Amino acid sequence: MGYDVTFHPVSRDQLKHFVFDVFNDVSVAESRAAELSNDPEAQEQIVGLYGQFPEWEEDDEAPFEATFAVAAAAIAGWLHPYWYARGQALSFMAFEHPEVAECFTPLPRLATGRFASLPDDSDGFLGENFTASGFISPDKFDTLTRLVKELAAPKFFAQDGLESLHAALGYARAKGLGLLEATDIVVPSAGEFTSNPENLRAHYLKRMDP
């Protein structure tokens, strides 16, 4: 089915407030959802996402990158614009280039409390469909931009994907944010969204500006 990749600016503090803290104390889920959206239907969707946290914690077969990492990317998409690239991801580069892999930090390493002890065998990379990555901190952006220029074309990124990636990095730089990437947060062919559809930026929508 291929990969519908999206790039998600978000800060470390926002991950703590809207993901790690909710996992550590699920009683704050409704108040956090209200901070993310004033739309009751959207709040219900977000609370439903939070409601899966205890189930995922108990499920030894649930991969981190397909559960909590996806939730983090979805939450980021309620906070900020996010950019689409069909079949193009930094994680795909990371599998072949260790210097790219070093730009990713698995999410448990950013956290405190119980979230920090969650097992994550992904090394911070997305893999299959419906997965998401770890965090790329702002201090890695210069290195990452250089590596993408040196290594990406044409194997890993086409022009549209490069434009989406650079748009996401540019927005993140301007706001002092880091970056996550995910697959299938949005599936255009099915009109499916796990995050805020209004924040999606994509060539096929003719909407790329923040």
Side-chain angles (χ1 to χ4, degrees):
M1 64 179 292
Y3 298 93
D4 291 308
V5 176
T6 41
F7 304 109
H8 295 262
V10 68
S11 75
R12 183 170 179 166
D13 286 344
Q14 287 168 337
L15 289 171
K16 177 183 184 302
H17 186 70
F18 289 104
V19 182
F20 309 153
D21 287 354
V22 180
F23 175 83
N24 292 328
D25 179 9
V26 74
S27 70
V28 304
E30 290 189 6
S31 63
R32 293 296 195 271
E35 291 180 50
L36 290 166
S37 176
N38 57 14
D39 178 358
E41 290 187 7
Q43 291 174 13
E44 183 178 357
Q45 179 183 350
I46 296 163
V47 169
L49 185 64
Y50 284 146
Q52 296 181 78
F53 283 12
E55 300 171 24
W56 293 337
E57 184 182 18
E58 295 299 321
D59 186 353
D60 293 335
E61 301 300 318
F64 184 93
E65 66 273 21
T67 53
F68 294 105
V70 169
I75 294 301
W78 287 100
L79 290 161
H80 302 283
Y82 56 101
W83 280 263
Y84 176 86
R86 174 69 177 170
Q88 303 164 69
L90 294 165
S91 290
F92 301 154
M93 293 181 63
F95 292 135
E96 297 189 21
H97 296 286
E99 58 268 54
V100 177
E102 291 172 2
C103 294
F104 289 81
T105 300
L107 296 182
R109 295 187 193 171
L110 303 180
T112 58
R114 290 178 15 256
F115 197 98
S117 65
L118 288 172
D120 179 6
D121 298 327
S122 71
D123 293 324
F125 316 135
L126 60 81
E128 303 299 324
N129 288 105
F130 304 100
T131 61
S133 77
F135 186 68
I136 302 172
S137 64
D139 63 356
K140 301 292 187 182
F141 285 1
D142 286 345
T143 297
L144 188 63
T145 300
R146 174 180 59 80
L147 291 170
V148 167
K149 183 177 181 180
E150 292 174 357
L151 303 172
K155 182 176 182 180
F156 298 103
F157 282 93
Q159 187 60 35
D160 63 337
L162 282 174
E163 289 176 5
S164 289
L165 173 61
H166 288 310
L169 287 170
Y171 177 91
R173 283 181 190 272
K175 301 289 185 179
L177 308 172
L179 196 72
L180 308 174
E181 59 181 9
T183 63
D184 309 303
I185 290 286
V186 53
V187 182
S189 61
E192 297 175 353
F193 290 84
T194 309
S195 191
N196 184 354
E198 298 301 318
N199 277 342
L200 177 63
R201 304 292 184 264
H203 282 286
Y204 76 87
L205 294 173
K206 296 181 172 56
R207 184 171 66 194
M208 289 291 289
D209 292 337

